[in-house]
Amino acid sequence: MLVLTRKTGESIQIGDDIELTVISIKGDQVKLGINAPKEVDIHRKEVYLSIQEENTEASKGIDNLFNLLPKND
Amino acid sequence: MKINTKYHGEIEVKSEEILTFEHGIPGFREEKQFVLLPLPENEWFYILQSVKTPQLGFVVADPFVFFKEYDFELDQASVELLDNPSEKEVQVLSILTVRETLNESTANLQAPIIINLANRKGKQVILTNTSYQTKHLIFAQPAGKKG
């Protein structure tokens, strides 16, 4: 992993069109600003992982699905 | 074209029925084409079936059937990715994690599937600043216990 040291207000440029700026630092919390193209989805990592996990779990499905789901009368 | 499916065997799908997810969905980045298949004798649930992977099919449902108060706002980037659909052209689905019984089964309300019916583009949108989570029991009450 590339490690860079930055101060408040300083930025990192990733490729042509992604910019990461350190907005503020308070204790162990860092506030980051991100400029990126609209097609790039940006999420807190743990949120993205939980969606990934849930999708994987949901994709397993179950064997007797047709019996489980209620039928219309 | 003919495709093999997880729950429906081999079926015929028309190209205009295919939904395009440009970036796949989280965990399944390479899955860019799905079809929505109804279930026999059932109006509540559908299968979101991958076109290229037969064993990949998600049970999905209209979340508003189970969660009448469900409410969220789409971020602008997602709206634009779907080519600015009008409200009437939008279909919302939730992926269900189906357990041994329906009472234990949950809906992912934090990341709804949004489909633009006009151009059949879809995206699983991860809601930000929301209290919705990945697991909401679809039946708060055990079935069979009425009033």
Side-chain angles (χ1 to χ4, degrees):
Chain A
M1 189 192 293
L2 171 67
V3 179
L4 301 171
T5 303
R6 303 274 60 197
K7 292 180 177 157
T8 303
E10 292 182 338
S11 301
I12 288 170
Q13 183 76 26
I14 304 172
D16 282 339
D17 42 20
I18 298 177
E19 185 192 16
L20 204 65
T21 306
V22 179
I23 306 288
S24 66
I25 305 167
K26 224 187 233 171
D28 64 352
Q29 278 203 321
V30 180
K31 201 175 263 183
L32 299 172
I34 304 151
N35 269 322
K38 280 192 263 328
E39 64 271 17
V40 176
D41 280 343
I42 301 163
H43 300 288
R44 291 180 175 86
K45 175 130 187 188
E46 66 276 15
V47 172
Y48 187 81
L49 287 180
S50 79
I51 303 299
Q52 234 179 10
E53 255 168 53
E54 194 63 27
N55 280 348
T56 303
E57 208 173 327
S59 74
K60 288 176 190 151
I62 56 161
D63 294 337
N64 63 340
L65 180 70
F66 289 171
N67 296 328
L68 177 69
L69 299 180
K71 290 186 171 56
N72 298 327
D73 291 327
Chain B
M1 64 189 273
K2 281 196 165 67
I3 64 166
N4 276 304
T5 68
K6 185 175 169 104
Y7 298 107
H8 295 74
E10 189 185 68
I11 57 159
E12 178 76 31
V13 295
K14 299 192 184 94
S15 58
E16 62 263 30
E17 291 171 340
I18 292 174
L19 306 168
T20 305
F21 289 68
E22 241 173 81
H23 304 292
I25 66 170
F28 300 90
R29 282 285 160 204
E30 299 309 312
E31 298 289 346
K32 298 179 195 293
Q33 291 194 315
F34 288 88
V35 283
L36 195 59
L37 304 175
L39 288 168
E41 301 177 64
N42 190 302
E43 286 176 2
W44 290 357
F45 304 96
Y46 299 86
I47 302 297
L48 189 64
Q49 170 67 46
S50 158
V51 170
K52 76 164 187 178
T53 309
Q55 62 275 22
L56 184 64
F58 295 96
V59 182
V60 297
D62 173 350
F64 301 105
V65 171
F66 301 98
F67 306 95
K68 301 240 175 339
E69 311 290 312
Y70 189 39
D71 188 31
F72 59 85
E73 201 163 315
L74 274 184
D75 63 288
Q76 196 52 35
S78 296
V79 173
E80 284 177 29
L81 182 102
L82 296 171
D83 293 339
N84 303 297
S86 71
E87 205 164 312
K88 280 183 191 162
E89 293 168 332
V90 165
Q91 182 171 16
V92 179
L93 296 167
S94 289
I95 296 183
L96 305 186
T97 300
V98 180
R99 304 287 182 191
E100 291 306 310
T101 72
L102 276 185
N103 292 328
E104 300 165 277
S105 300
T106 55
N108 182 349
L109 297 187
Q110 194 177 356
I113 302 265
I114 313 293
I115 293 167
N116 179 354
L117 295 170
N119 60 11
R120 313 212 51 86
K121 278 191 183 183
K123 183 185 183 190
Q124 186 175 24
V125 176
I126 300 178
L127 303 178
T128 45
N129 302 322
T130 175
S131 55
Y132 294 118
Q133 295 159 10
T134 56
K135 289 181 200 292
H136 290 260
L137 290 171
I138 57 174
F139 293 116
Q141 288 251 334
K145 283 190 185 173
K146 282 179 188 165

